[in-house]
Each structure stands twice: as C-alpha cells, then as structure tokens.
Amino acid sequence: MDLGIVGQAAGLFAVTNIDDILILSLFFAQGAGHPGATRRIVLGQYLGFAAILAVAVAAAFGATFLPESAVPYLGLLPLALGLKAAWQAWKHGGDEDDEEEAKEGGPKALEVAAVTFANGGDNIGVYVPVFATAGVGGMSVYAVVFLILVAVWCFAGRFFATRPLVAKALSRWGHVLLPAVLIAIGLLILIKGGAFGL
C-alpha cells in the first residue's frame, strides 16, 4: 500500500468532512441517555457515507445516478429534517424528558444517513475526478481510508459531545442548535447549487 495515497486520502477526507464533526456532536448530544443511540448514529453515518462513496465510484466509472442539476435539491433533506426537529423542539418546549422523545431514543439511523448524504453532495464532486485518475487500486485505498476515518469522525463527534463544558452547552442549546444547523446546511446546499433559481 502506497503511503502517499493513504496520506492524500486522509487529507482529502479531513478537508471535505470537517463540518461533519459538528453535526455528529449535535446528533450524539441529542442521543445522550438513549440506549442504542450511539449505534444508530454510527450506522447512519456509515450508511450516508457509503452512499456518497457508491455514487462517486460509479460516477468515476462513467455512470450517473443523479443528473448534475439534481444535486442541489439534496439540500431539501437536511432542510426538512431541520424543520421537523424545530417543530418537535417547539412542540415539546425543549423538554428532553418528554415521554414521546424518550420512546424515540434520539436520532434515527436513516435521518443521520440522509443528512450525511445530502451534506456530501459537494464531496461527490471532489471525489469523482480523484477516483477517476486513481484507478481501481488507488480508489480502493481511498475507500478503505475513508471508511476508517468515518469511525474516527464518529469518535471525535462523540468525544466533543461528552466533554463536560460542551455537553452542558449542547444539553442546554442542542434542541435549538441541531435544527438551526440542519436548516442552514439545507439552505446552503440549495442556494450554492442554484436550486429553484436561488
């Protein structure tokens, strides 16, 4: 295995996914105290990132699942999830001890996957030319390094969410921050991509 490619893969992953640490921290804070929440968040992150990799690899080989013009509309996913989270926070008055919230057990894997995939639309644009020039062997190294680093990112997100100072702030403001961040990501994706003529 070429260490140069490993280093390039690690650098590329870090640059294109730095914002995911904040989002993961918010998800982990939302799932705090709910059994199985960590597992669902990690599973969702892997599902979303695997979908990003699958689309990027297929596109590097010439297949296109989404027309270029459809990519900005992925912003509707985090926007909808952010609006849903904002509605629930408003409806429950930020009361984390609500019975229904306790039954839900924090974020669901598919919600995390949807946010990860939608937020990774720009990643696909960066990965495709890199994968196309790396060849099958290089692409495999990139994929393995990326998948290992997803675990590191999940650990970092959980680490930040469990630091006393951060945990206190997230427990107090997380019900406001998560919807705000998701809505901002959704709007940014829509506006940056020119969706709806924005």
Side-chain angles (χ1 to χ4, degrees), residues 31-121:
H34 297 289
T38 298
R39 183 175 30 87
R40 286 190 300 277
I41 293 165
V42 171
L43 175 63
Q45 185 70 9
Y46 266 102
L47 287 173
F49 197 81
I52 290 169
L53 271 181
V55 170
V57 167
F61 284 119
T64 52
F65 297 112
L66 290 172
E68 182 106 8
S69 60
V71 172
Y73 295 96
L74 290 174
L76 292 172
L77 290 170
L79 180 62
L81 290 170
L83 290 172
K84 177 186 170 200
W87 170 255
Q88 287 177 338
W90 178 77
K91 187 170 120 182
H92 299 300
D95 183 15
E96 293 299 322
D97 295 319
D98 189 84
E99 244 178 74
E100 187 179 326
E101 182 70 22
K103 277 192 272 181
E104 288 179 8
K108 294 172 181 54
L110 289 180
E111 290 174 348
V112 176
V115 170
T116 302
F117 183 73
N119 194 34

Side-chain angles (χ1 to χ4, degrees), residues 1 30 32 53 143 154 156 176:
M1 190 180 296
Q30 187 185 35
L53 271 181
C154 289
V176 174

Side-chain angles (χ1 to χ4, degrees), residues 12-191:
L12 184 62
F13 182 90
V15 168
T16 56
N17 292 287
I18 196 71
D19 52 341
D20 279 355
I21 291 179
L22 170 64
I23 297 165
L24 282 166
S25 295
L26 290 169
F27 278 135
F28 281 118
Q30 187 185 35
H34 297 289
T38 298
R39 183 175 30 87
R40 286 190 300 277
I41 293 165
V42 171
L43 175 63
Q45 185 70 9
Y46 266 102
L47 287 173
F49 197 81
I52 290 169
L53 271 181
V55 170
V57 167
F61 284 119
T64 52
F65 297 112
L66 290 172
E68 182 106 8
S69 60
V71 172
Y73 295 96
L74 290 174
L76 292 172
L77 290 170
L79 180 62
L81 290 170
L83 290 172
K84 177 186 170 200
W87 170 255
Q88 287 177 338
W90 178 77
K91 187 170 120 182
H92 299 300
D95 183 15
E96 293 299 322
D97 295 319
D98 189 84
E99 244 178 74
E100 187 179 326
E101 182 70 22
K103 277 192 272 181
E104 288 179 8
K108 294 172 181 54
L110 289 180
E111 290 174 348
V112 176
V115 170
T116 302
F117 183 73
N119 194 34
D122 55 341
N123 294 22
I124 294 168
V126 173
Y127 297 164
V128 171
V130 172
F131 287 177
T133 57
V136 176
M139 204 181 313
S140 301
V141 173
Y142 274 95
V144 168
V145 171
F146 285 1
L147 292 172
I148 290 169
L149 289 176
V150 167
V152 173
W153 250 234
C154 289
F155 175 80
R158 189 167 191 283
F159 175 81
F160 289 124
T162 57
R163 297 303 92 201
L165 186 62
V166 176
K168 184 177 177 185
L170 289 177
S171 69
R172 184 169 182 191
W173 298 105
H175 68 284
V176 174
L177 282 175
L178 181 64
V181 168
L182 293 178
I183 290 168
I185 287 170
L187 290 174
L188 186 65
I189 292 169
L190 289 168
I191 292 167

